[in-house]
Amino acid sequence: SKKKFPRAIPILSVRHPLDNFLSARRNNWLGKYCGLDKVLDNYCKALVNLQNYMKDIENAEIIRYEDLCIDMENTLTNIFNKIHAAFKIPSINDINNIKVTGQSGRKSENIELRNRLISQIDQNLIDAINNSFYYKEYCKMNKYNPDYKDLPL
């Protein structure tokens, strides 16, 4: 006989699209999101599509990475209360004891906001930011500051 497990409520963690793009570009991951045309608008379109799918089809709850960095306890408490789940907020030591595998595994032992890599933003990327429909859309969806020179929130 098959056992039926309750359907989990997915939680999608999002990050400012520019910081996300810069990290993916630095790690040569853009092709996985953009295909052959590795530009900001395609990348952000993939992020918008993923978030819409997760929210509308999978009924996922969305949390911003930056909110986790600023106040992990309140961010997790709010999300778990919203989905009516029993929980224990892990300590940083608990989190760091979990070894993540794969290319996108966390390398740092700190969960903190990092400075944006302004040195990696050239005029072509500034033009892409200014002309990207999906960059603006993703920032709007998640209440991010679209200005590349400023803080994400």
Side-chain angles (χ1 to χ4, degrees):
S1 76
K2 286 186 174 182
K3 290 185 180 183
K4 289 196 174 193
F5 290 96
R7 186 174 187 313
I9 298 172
I11 298 171
L12 177 66
S13 172
V14 299
R15 186 176 177 201
H16 190 284
L18 182 56
D19 298 320
N20 207 339
F21 178 83
L22 290 171
S23 177
R25 186 172 72 176
R26 189 175 64 253
N27 289 296
N28 294 317
W29 296 336
L30 287 180
K32 295 174 183 177
Y33 298 92
C34 304
L36 295 176
D37 198 3
K38 300 175 185 175
V39 296
L40 179 70
D41 197 53
N42 278 355
Y43 188 77
C44 291
K45 181 179 181 181
L47 296 177
V48 166
N49 288 340
L50 171 64
Q51 185 168 333
N52 283 337
Y53 173 82
M54 291 300 294
K55 185 172 169 280
D56 298 340
I57 306 300
E58 297 294 334
N59 298 311
E61 293 295 330
I62 312 298
I63 57 175
R64 297 184 306 185
Y65 168 78
E66 295 82 0
D67 292 331
L68 280 173
C69 292
I70 292 167
D71 190 347
M72 185 170 64
E73 186 169 337
N74 275 333
T75 301
L76 293 177
T77 297
N78 289 338
I79 200 82
F80 287 123
N81 282 341
K82 188 174 180 183
I83 63 175
H84 308 291
F87 64 95
K88 173 189 174 267
I89 296 183
S91 69
I92 292 297
N93 285 338
D94 293 336
I95 292 169
N96 289 332
N97 281 331
I98 299 169
K99 297 302 171 203
V100 181
T101 62
Q103 290 180 325
S104 63
R106 215 167 34 86
K107 292 176 181 62
S108 170
E109 296 221 345
N110 298 318
I111 297 175
E112 62 190 4
L113 287 177
R114 293 172 179 82
N115 291 329
R116 180 165 291 151
L117 301 169
I118 296 292
S119 63
Q120 295 184 9
I121 302 174
D122 60 14
Q123 190 58 49
N124 287 338
L125 187 51
I126 293 169
D127 292 343
I129 291 166
N130 292 332
N131 295 314
S132 172
F133 170 82
Y134 288 103
Y135 176 82
K136 292 175 188 78
E137 181 70 17
Y138 194 75
C139 286
K140 184 177 166 186
M141 285 171 71
N142 295 296
K143 298 182 176 102
Y144 281 126
N145 179 357
D147 187 342
Y148 74 91
K149 296 174 289 209
D150 210 349
L151 296 173
L153 303 178

